[in-house]
Amino acid sequence: MATLLRVDASAQLEERSLTRKLTGIFTSAFVAADAEAHVITRDVGADPVPNIDHRFIHAAFTPPDQREDWMNQRLALSDELIDEVASADVIILGAPMYNYGMPSTLKAWIDHISRIGRTFSFDLARGDFPIEPILSGKKLVVLSARGEFGFEPGGIRCSMNALDPGIAACAHYLGVAREDIDTVAIEYQEFKDHRYIQSVTQAEQRTRELAKFCVHARAAA
């Protein structure tokens, strides 16, 4: 039985959200290919997690056996989010591009998961790369929507794309290697022309294919 973690970060309502439509398509196709699949849903767009603050940082960097009660309370949501990630085999992120980057709600979710002792270890004996991920072996699918186009490597707006590199830079906290990230993006949303219609059709088809691939790849592993 595979476990799928679906994270939606769009501020749009269900009927207007392109990324929620894609995460819904992926989830349906995933369950259709694996009837025993377990699905965890986390909608940080509709129910945002709070931004981290000085109390969170103080608590997170205090050794567990030295934490006061308020510290454990402050980290309770973080622990819950990390447990969801740790239990997942496949993670899908409904991540629209806002002002060329990720939604603040998605960044807050990542910040809660990036925890010393839970998702990474830190040792200066490793030299210039002291951080080492604790989780591993997971697949990440980013399902996105962009108002403009050309954000792919070599595209006309590649240099403006802060979303995909930002997610990739933090993927190791989720237990995901860079080569295990797939991105599907609807583009041309603001243009509303034939290119947009074609982009939607292609993204939906690619999303279904990826869902089936993830199930079959895990079964064959």
XYZ file of all heavy atoms in Angstrom, residues 75-166:
696
model
N 5.968 23.355 18.900
C 6.450 22.469 17.843
C 5.453 21.374 17.483
O 5.725 20.563 16.595
C 7.773 21.821 18.268
C 8.961 22.772 18.467
C 10.164 21.994 18.997
C 9.317 23.496 17.176
N 4.300 21.352 18.135
C 3.340 20.268 17.922
C 2.861 20.194 16.472
O 2.793 19.103 15.878
C 2.151 20.419 18.868
N 2.521 21.345 15.885
C 2.074 21.344 14.493
C 3.207 20.924 13.566
O 3.002 20.144 12.630
C 1.565 22.730 14.097
C 1.161 22.892 12.623
C 0.084 21.892 12.223
C 0.711 24.321 12.341
N 4.408 21.409 13.829
C 5.568 21.015 13.032
C 5.762 19.509 13.077
O 6.006 18.863 12.043
C 6.821 21.727 13.555
O 7.980 21.249 12.909
N 5.645 18.923 14.257
C 5.786 17.470 14.386
C 4.718 16.741 13.574
O 5.002 15.720 12.924
C 5.686 17.062 15.855
C 6.914 17.432 16.666
O 8.017 17.492 16.088
O 6.777 17.663 17.885
N 3.507 17.269 13.602
C 2.412 16.654 12.844
C 2.682 16.712 11.347
O 2.492 15.721 10.628
C 1.097 17.374 13.172
C -0.122 16.809 12.477
C -1.399 17.560 12.833
O -1.402 18.283 13.854
O -2.390 17.432 12.075
N 3.147 17.857 10.870
C 3.445 18.004 9.441
C 4.600 17.108 9.022
O 4.569 16.507 7.936
C 3.773 19.466 9.133
C 2.659 20.489 9.395
C 3.180 21.903 9.138
C 1.440 20.209 8.536
N 5.615 17.019 9.865
C 6.755 16.159 9.555
C 6.339 14.696 9.525
O 6.780 13.933 8.654
C 7.892 16.388 10.570
C 8.515 17.775 10.356
C 8.974 15.310 10.436
C 9.473 18.196 11.450
N 5.481 14.286 10.451
C 5.000 12.907 10.462
C 4.264 12.572 9.167
O 4.379 11.449 8.643
C 4.076 12.671 11.660
C 4.828 12.634 12.988
O 6.058 12.484 12.967
O 4.163 12.762 14.038
N 3.511 13.529 8.637
C 2.814 13.306 7.367
C 3.806 13.100 6.234
O 3.639 12.196 5.406
C 1.892 14.493 7.065
C 0.693 14.595 7.992
C -0.159 15.831 7.761
O 0.265 16.702 6.955
O -1.237 15.940 8.375
N 4.830 13.928 6.186
C 5.853 13.796 5.150
C 6.601 12.474 5.303
O 6.846 11.763 4.318
C 6.840 14.979 5.203
C 8.041 14.729 4.293
C 6.144 16.270 4.796
N 6.964 12.141 6.529
C 7.739 10.922 6.775
C 6.973 9.668 6.354
O 7.571 8.687 5.878
C 8.115 10.835 8.250
N 5.658 9.685 6.489
C 4.852 8.509 6.167
C 4.564 8.378 4.672
O 4.119 7.322 4.219
C 3.532 8.551 6.934
O 2.711 9.615 6.481
N 4.824 9.431 3.909
C 4.460 9.447 2.491
C 5.515 8.787 1.613
O 6.716 8.922 1.851
C 4.230 10.875 2.027
N 5.044 8.087 0.598
C 5.921 7.567 -0.452
C 6.008 8.565 -1.603
O 7.054 8.717 -2.227
C 5.380 6.231 -0.979
C 5.257 5.183 0.108
O 6.303 4.784 0.645
O 4.117 4.794 0.433
N 4.887 9.219 -1.875
C 4.795 10.208 -2.948
C 4.179 11.472 -2.370
O 3.194 11.416 -1.625
C 3.931 9.688 -4.116
C 3.829 10.742 -5.215
C 4.495 8.380 -4.666
N 4.766 12.620 -2.717
C 4.252 13.916 -2.275
C 3.885 14.727 -3.509
O 4.674 14.834 -4.450
C 5.310 14.685 -1.454
C 5.758 13.866 -0.234
C 4.768 16.049 -1.006
C 6.997 14.416 0.444
N 2.680 15.277 -3.525
C 2.309 16.190 -4.602
C 2.048 17.560 -3.989
O 1.396 17.688 -2.957
C 1.094 15.696 -5.418
C -0.131 15.447 -4.525
C 1.449 14.450 -6.196
C -1.390 15.126 -5.313
N 2.591 18.571 -4.645
C 2.418 19.947 -4.203
C 1.611 20.707 -5.234
O 2.030 20.832 -6.391
C 3.776 20.646 -4.022
C 4.766 20.074 -3.021
C 6.026 20.943 -2.988
C 4.150 19.977 -1.632
N 0.457 21.212 -4.837
C -0.295 22.128 -5.683
C 0.271 23.515 -5.449
O -0.078 24.185 -4.477
N 1.181 23.930 -6.315
C 2.005 25.124 -6.069
C 1.873 26.141 -7.196
O 2.668 26.139 -8.145
C 3.468 24.717 -5.898
N 0.895 27.034 -7.125
C 0.814 28.091 -8.135
C 1.983 29.054 -8.014
O 2.571 29.180 -6.934
C -0.511 28.788 -7.797
C -0.713 28.533 -6.339
C -0.146 27.164 -6.090
N 2.324 29.690 -9.098
C 3.391 30.694 -9.079
C 2.776 32.052 -8.728
O 1.945 32.568 -9.472
C 4.100 30.765 -10.430
C 5.180 31.840 -10.503
S 6.008 31.906 -12.121
C 7.161 30.540 -11.968
N 3.181 32.619 -7.608
C 2.734 33.941 -7.186
C 3.912 34.899 -7.238
O 4.905 34.704 -6.524
C 2.166 33.904 -5.767
C 0.828 33.190 -5.625
C 0.348 32.832 -4.379
C 0.048 32.896 -6.741
C -0.880 32.196 -4.244
C -1.158 32.255 -6.615
C -1.625 31.909 -5.367
O -2.843 31.274 -5.249
N 3.809 35.913 -8.068
C 4.883 36.901 -8.195
C 6.233 36.227 -8.422
O 7.243 36.599 -7.833
C 4.914 37.805 -6.958
C 3.607 38.559 -6.774
O 3.080 39.120 -7.721
N 3.074 38.542 -5.567
N 6.197 35.193 -9.269
C 7.376 34.447 -9.721
C 7.967 33.512 -8.665
O 8.997 32.879 -8.905
C 8.453 35.387 -10.273
C 7.901 36.298 -11.328
C 7.689 37.641 -11.079
C 7.544 35.799 -12.589
C 7.145 38.477 -12.053
C 6.989 36.623 -13.560
C 6.793 37.956 -13.285
O 6.245 38.779 -14.241
N 7.330 33.384 -7.505
C 7.828 32.498 -6.463
C 6.714 31.630 -5.908
O 5.625 31.525 -6.481
N 6.979 30.994 -4.771
C 5.988 30.116 -4.172
C 5.043 30.901 -3.260
O 5.408 31.954 -2.727
C 6.680 28.994 -3.382
C 7.370 29.416 -2.101
S 8.068 27.991 -1.199
C 9.484 27.576 -2.238
N 3.822 30.416 -3.067
C 2.914 31.053 -2.122
C 3.521 31.078 -0.726
O 4.247 30.155 -0.330
C 1.668 30.162 -2.164
C 1.751 29.446 -3.472
C 3.214 29.252 -3.732
N 3.236 32.132 0.028
C 3.786 32.239 1.379
C 3.331 31.071 2.252
O 4.057 30.641 3.157
C 3.376 33.563 2.022
O 1.965 33.675 2.101
N 2.136 30.539 1.972
C 1.637 29.414 2.755
C 2.481 28.158 2.532
O 2.692 27.365 3.459
C 0.180 29.119 2.382
O 0.065 28.970 0.955
C -0.734 30.242 2.828
N 2.961 27.978 1.312
C 3.821 26.824 1.021
C 5.186 27.006 1.679
O 5.761 26.047 2.217
C 3.976 26.645 -0.489
C 4.829 25.463 -0.950
C 4.296 24.152 -0.387
C 4.884 25.417 -2.476
N 5.704 28.225 1.651
C 6.990 28.491 2.309
C 6.888 28.234 3.811
O 7.814 27.654 4.418
C 7.401 29.938 2.054
C 8.744 30.336 2.690
C 9.884 29.489 2.150
C 11.250 30.054 2.500
N 11.504 30.121 3.941
N 5.773 28.633 4.431
C 5.592 28.387 5.858
C 5.541 26.891 6.150
O 6.091 26.425 7.164
C 4.318 29.077 6.352
N 4.886 26.128 5.275
C 4.828 24.674 5.429
C 6.230 24.063 5.379
O 6.602 23.244 6.218
C 3.932 24.083 4.341
C 3.802 22.593 4.341
C 3.013 21.830 5.164
C 4.470 21.673 3.461
N 3.154 20.495 4.848
C 4.030 20.377 3.803
C 5.379 21.836 2.419
C 4.479 19.240 3.129
C 5.836 20.706 1.753
C 5.386 19.429 2.103
N 7.020 24.502 4.403
C 8.395 24.005 4.281
C 9.212 24.381 5.517
O 9.992 23.577 6.035
C 9.053 24.551 2.999
C 8.400 23.925 1.759
C 10.558 24.282 3.002
C 8.871 24.517 0.441
N 9.040 25.607 6.010
C 9.790 26.048 7.187
C 9.465 25.201 8.417
O 10.345 24.953 9.252
C 9.487 27.517 7.485
C 10.123 28.469 6.483
O 11.047 28.041 5.765
O 9.689 29.634 6.407
N 8.226 24.745 8.536
C 7.850 23.906 9.674
C 8.432 22.494 9.553
O 8.640 21.821 10.563
C 6.323 23.812 9.795
C 5.711 24.939 10.557
N 5.645 26.228 10.072
C 5.141 24.986 11.792
C 5.056 27.005 10.955
N 4.750 26.288 12.011
N 8.678 22.066 8.325
C 9.207 20.717 8.105
C 10.730 20.690 8.185
O 11.322 19.653 8.510
C 8.710 20.196 6.745
C 7.207 19.913 6.841
C 9.461 18.948 6.305
C 6.532 19.727 5.536
N 11.371 21.811 7.938
C 12.836 21.870 7.939
C 13.334 21.976 9.377
O 13.652 23.059 9.866
C 13.307 23.075 7.103
O 12.723 23.052 5.824
N 13.434 20.843 10.055
C 13.726 20.817 11.480
C 14.967 19.995 11.786
O 15.081 18.822 11.398
C 12.547 20.184 12.234
C 11.374 21.087 12.509
C 11.377 21.668 13.888
N 11.542 20.696 14.942
C 10.553 19.941 15.433
N 9.320 20.037 14.966
N 10.817 19.091 16.417
N 15.898 20.610 12.508
C 17.084 19.893 12.945
C 16.671 18.748 13.866
O 15.802 18.904 14.732
C 18.075 20.850 13.641
C 19.415 20.141 13.883
C 17.498 21.414 14.935
C 20.535 21.085 14.284
N 17.241 17.591 13.641
C 16.927 16.424 14.438
C 15.716 15.653 13.970
O 15.511 14.512 14.381
N 14.906 16.252 13.102
C 13.724 15.577 12.568
C 13.876 15.298 11.080
O 13.621 14.178 10.631
C 12.451 16.420 12.794
C 11.946 16.518 14.213
C 11.492 15.181 14.830
N 10.715 14.345 13.941
C 9.376 14.312 13.876
N 8.665 15.121 14.655
N 8.754 13.481 13.064
N 14.263 16.303 10.307
C 14.409 16.095 8.866
C 15.825 16.351 8.370
O 16.128 16.084 7.212
C 13.423 16.978 8.073
O 13.612 18.355 8.448
C 11.987 16.571 8.357
N 16.691 16.889 9.224
C 18.097 17.006 8.852
C 18.976 17.006 10.096
O 18.535 17.345 11.195
C 18.364 18.276 8.021
C 18.311 19.573 8.801
C 19.461 20.121 9.371
C 17.113 20.252 8.962
C 19.415 21.316 10.084
C 17.058 21.453 9.668
C 18.216 21.983 10.229
N 20.201 16.575 9.888
C 21.210 16.651 10.948
C 22.245 17.693 10.543
O 22.378 18.029 9.361
C 21.882 15.293 11.169
O 22.561 14.865 9.998
N 22.967 18.203 11.536
C 23.950 19.258 11.287
C 25.233 18.892 12.024
O 25.241 18.690 13.233
C 23.420 20.602 11.794
C 24.315 21.777 11.480
C 24.145 22.492 10.308
C 25.327 22.146 12.354
C 24.973 23.571 10.007
C 26.157 23.220 12.067
C 25.979 23.933 10.884
N 26.327 18.795 11.274
C 27.607 18.406 11.855
C 28.730 19.140 11.123
O 28.972 18.909 9.940
C 27.798 16.895 11.733
C 29.031 16.396 12.487
O 29.839 17.231 12.938
O 29.182 15.176 12.608
N 29.425 20.029 11.834
C 30.505 20.803 11.219
C 31.686 19.931 10.805
O 32.532 20.367 10.024
C 30.969 21.905 12.177
C 29.989 23.069 12.359
C 30.491 24.018 13.438
C 29.789 23.809 11.039
N 31.738 18.707 11.298
C 32.789 17.783 10.877
C 32.652 17.419 9.397
O 33.605 16.908 8.793
C 32.749 16.510 11.731
N 31.499 17.721 8.813
C 31.295 17.458 7.389
C 31.868 18.560 6.513
O 31.734 18.537 5.291
C 29.798 17.291 7.097
C 29.155 16.115 7.820
C 27.674 15.989 7.470
N 27.046 14.951 8.264
C 25.918 15.099 8.946
N 25.267 16.262 8.903
N 25.414 14.106 9.647
N 32.449 19.555 7.119
C 33.073 20.626 6.353
C 32.078 21.658 5.878
O 31.209 22.095 6.627
N 32.181 22.043 4.607
C 31.353 23.117 4.067
C 29.916 22.691 3.796
O 29.084 23.529 3.431
C 31.969 23.654 2.774
C 33.245 24.446 3.032
O 33.462 24.859 4.180
O 34.014 24.641 2.072
N 29.620 21.420 3.966
C 28.259 20.929 3.761
C 27.809 20.159 5.007
O 27.680 18.925 4.980
C 28.179 20.049 2.509
C 28.482 20.795 1.237
C 29.780 20.842 0.751
C 27.486 21.469 0.546
C 30.073 21.541 -0.421
C 27.770 22.170 -0.621
C 29.069 22.207 -1.104
N 27.556 20.876 6.093
C 27.252 20.215 7.368
C 25.849 19.633 7.463
O 25.580 18.817 8.346
C 27.428 21.345 8.382
C 27.109 22.587 7.625
C 27.622 22.349 6.232
N 24.937 20.038 6.567
C 23.564 19.550 6.628
C 23.434 18.236 5.859
O 23.913 18.102 4.733
C 22.585 20.591 6.054
C 22.512 21.809 6.979
C 21.195 20.000 5.850
C 21.636 22.924 6.459
N 22.783 17.262 6.490
C 22.518 15.982 5.843
C 21.067 15.606 6.085
O 20.601 15.618 7.229
C 23.451 14.902 6.402
C 23.354 13.580 5.680
C 24.441 12.612 6.126
O 25.614 12.831 5.742
O 24.123 11.670 6.875
N 20.318 15.282 5.034
C 18.905 14.939 5.220
C 18.734 13.628 5.973
O 19.566 12.718 5.865
C 18.374 14.840 3.790
C 19.575 14.551 2.948
C 20.723 15.248 3.616
N 17.666 13.531 6.721
C 17.336 12.321 7.465
C 16.370 11.447 6.665
O 16.504 10.229 6.629
C 16.746 12.678 8.839
C 17.823 13.338 9.714
C 16.164 11.445 9.538
C 17.310 13.851 11.048
N 15.393 12.072 6.006
C 14.432 11.334 5.195
C 14.997 11.093 3.798
O 15.851 11.845 3.335
C 13.122 12.120 5.087
C 12.454 12.522 6.401
C 11.207 13.366 6.130
C 12.105 11.298 7.231
N 14.516 10.059 3.131
C 15.011 9.762 1.777
C 14.011 8.867 1.043
O 13.077 8.330 1.630
C 16.381 9.059 1.842
O 16.262 7.796 2.488
N 14.250 8.728 -0.262
C 13.524 7.749 -1.071
C 12.128 8.129 -1.500
O 11.360 7.271 -1.949
N 11.778 9.407 -1.410
C 10.428 9.819 -1.762
C 10.384 10.470 -3.152
O 11.381 10.969 -3.646
C 9.883 10.792 -0.710
C 9.885 10.199 0.695
C 9.382 11.160 1.742
C 9.566 10.599 3.138
N 8.869 9.309 3.334
N 9.204 10.450 -3.742
C 8.963 11.064 -5.047
C 8.166 12.336 -4.841
O 7.211 12.367 -4.065
C 8.181 10.088 -5.930
C 7.814 10.625 -7.306
C 9.021 10.740 -8.199
C 8.624 11.139 -9.618
N 9.797 11.355 -10.484
N 8.551 13.413 -5.542
C 7.854 14.688 -5.451
C 7.339 15.093 -6.824
O 8.088 15.104 -7.800
C 8.789 15.769 -4.909
C 8.246 17.201 -4.881
C 7.040 17.309 -3.956
C 9.338 18.184 -4.451
N 6.056 15.431 -6.878
C 5.451 15.949 -8.105
C 4.904 17.333 -7.796
O 4.057 17.496 -6.912
C 4.329 15.031 -8.623
C 3.691 15.637 -9.878
C 4.872 13.635 -8.920
N 5.395 18.335 -8.509
C 4.950 19.714 -8.351
C 3.945 20.013 -9.451
O 4.262 19.914 -10.636
C 6.135 20.699 -8.423
C 5.642 22.129 -8.253
C 7.180 20.358 -7.364
N 2.732 20.365 -9.047
C 1.658 20.669 -9.984
C 1.366 22.156 -9.879
O 0.875 22.635 -8.862
C 0.425 19.831 -9.661
C 0.683 18.311 -9.710
C -0.502 17.540 -9.176
C 1.018 17.874 -11.130
N 1.689 22.887 -10.931
C 1.728 24.340 -10.849
C 0.859 25.000 -11.906
O 0.376 24.363 -12.843
C 3.181 24.819 -10.992
O 3.300 26.202 -10.739
N 0.649 26.308 -11.738
C -0.039 27.135 -12.734
C 0.643 28.490 -12.755
O 0.964 29.046 -11.702
C -1.523 27.279 -12.401
N 0.874 28.997 -13.944
C 1.579 30.267 -14.106
C 0.810 31.171 -15.070
O 0.323 30.724 -16.108
C 2.981 30.032 -14.679
C 3.938 29.303 -13.693
C 4.057 27.813 -14.022
N 4.701 27.042 -12.959
C 5.986 26.733 -12.927
N 6.775 27.115 -13.914
N 6.484 26.044 -11.940
N 0.706 32.433 -14.734
C -0.023 33.383 -15.567
C 0.655 33.636 -16.890
O -0.002 33.846 -17.917
N 2.004 33.596 -16.870
C 2.776 33.833 -18.093
C 3.337 32.504 -18.597
O 2.770 31.447 -18.321
C 3.870 34.867 -17.805
C 3.286 36.231 -17.419
C 4.345 37.204 -16.930
O 4.832 37.014 -15.789
O 4.666 38.132 -17.668
N 4.447 32.530 -19.313
C 4.993 31.310 -19.888
C 6.502 31.468 -20.066
O 7.053 32.546 -19.886
C 4.334 31.000 -21.240
C 4.604 32.031 -22.302
C 5.642 31.868 -23.210
C 3.821 33.180 -22.395
C 5.909 32.833 -24.180
C 4.069 34.141 -23.371
C 5.115 33.966 -24.259
N 7.153 30.360 -20.401
C 8.582 30.400 -20.682
C 9.460 30.348 -19.451
O 10.559 30.908 -19.446
N 9.024 29.662 -18.401
C 9.801 29.585 -17.165
C 10.710 28.364 -17.104
O 11.467 28.199 -16.155
C 8.856 29.578 -15.951
C 8.067 30.849 -15.795
C 6.741 30.913 -16.194
C 8.652 31.984 -15.257
C 6.011 32.087 -16.052
C 7.934 33.154 -15.108
C 6.604 33.213 -15.509
N 10.623 27.501 -18.096
C 11.452 26.299 -18.123
C 12.910 26.664 -18.397
O 13.190 27.784 -18.858
C 10.941 25.333 -19.195
C 11.182 25.771 -20.626
C 10.183 26.788 -21.154
O 9.246 27.158 -20.407
O 10.345 27.211 -22.321
N 13.863 25.759 -18.094
C 15.267 26.044 -18.392
C 15.453 26.433 -19.857
O 14.992 25.733 -20.757
C 15.964 24.714 -18.078
C 15.099 24.088 -17.028
C 13.689 24.455 -17.413
N 16.065 27.582 -20.074
C 16.254 28.083 -21.422
C 15.098 28.905 -21.940
O 15.185 29.481 -23.032
N 13.997 28.976 -21.170
C 12.834 29.738 -21.585
C 13.057 31.235 -21.444
O 13.986 31.689 -20.766
N 12.159 32.017 -22.026
C 12.361 33.464 -22.058
C 12.199 34.107 -20.673
O 12.652 35.235 -20.465
C 11.409 34.141 -23.062
C 9.945 33.903 -22.683
C 11.682 33.645 -24.470
C 8.959 34.674 -23.547
N 11.561 33.398 -19.742
C 11.423 33.913 -18.376
C 12.108 33.005 -17.352
O 11.795 33.044 -16.173
C 9.943 34.086 -18.025
C 9.247 35.175 -18.819
C 7.785 35.334 -18.388
N 7.132 36.430 -19.095
C 6.529 36.303 -20.290
N 6.525 35.117 -20.891
N 5.957 37.336 -20.860
N 13.039 32.225 -17.805
C 13.737 31.289 -16.911
C 14.367 32.008 -15.723
O 14.288 31.535 -14.583
C 14.806 30.530 -17.696
S 15.821 29.423 -16.689
N 14.975 33.153 -15.966
C 15.678 33.870 -14.903
C 14.720 34.444 -13.867
O 15.137 34.817 -12.763
C 16.520 35.004 -15.491
O 15.694 35.978 -16.117
N 13.424 34.503 -14.197
C 12.435 35.053 -13.275
C 11.782 33.972 -12.419
O 10.992 34.272 -11.518
C 11.359 35.803 -14.065
C 11.905 36.947 -14.898
S 10.698 37.599 -16.083
C 9.563 38.424 -14.968
N 12.091 32.722 -12.701
C 11.464 31.594 -12.019
C 12.121 31.345 -10.665
O 13.192 30.752 -10.574
C 11.564 30.340 -12.893
C 10.859 29.135 -12.283
O 10.360 29.195 -11.161
N 10.831 28.050 -13.026
N 11.470 31.807 -9.606
C 11.966 31.555 -8.257
C 11.217 30.413 -7.587
O 11.587 29.987 -6.490
C 11.842 32.818 -7.400
N 10.162 29.911 -8.249
C 9.353 28.843 -7.666
C 10.036 27.485 -7.734
O 10.270 26.839 -6.705
C 7.994 28.781 -8.376
C 7.087 27.602 -8.012
C 6.708 27.649 -6.534
C 5.836 27.591 -8.879
N 10.364 27.039 -8.944
C 10.933 25.702 -9.109
C 12.289 25.552 -8.413
O 12.510 24.556 -7.709
C 11.049 25.365 -10.594
C 9.685 25.317 -11.275
O 8.702 24.955 -10.603
O 9.597 25.657 -12.467
N 13.220 26.510 -8.564
C 14.487 26.381 -7.837
C 14.300 26.404 -6.318
O 15.031 25.719 -5.589
C 15.295 27.595 -8.313
C 14.710 27.964 -9.626
C 13.246 27.675 -9.485
N 13.338 27.191 -5.837
C 13.102 27.253 -4.400
C 12.627 25.931 -3.834
O 13.067 25.497 -2.763
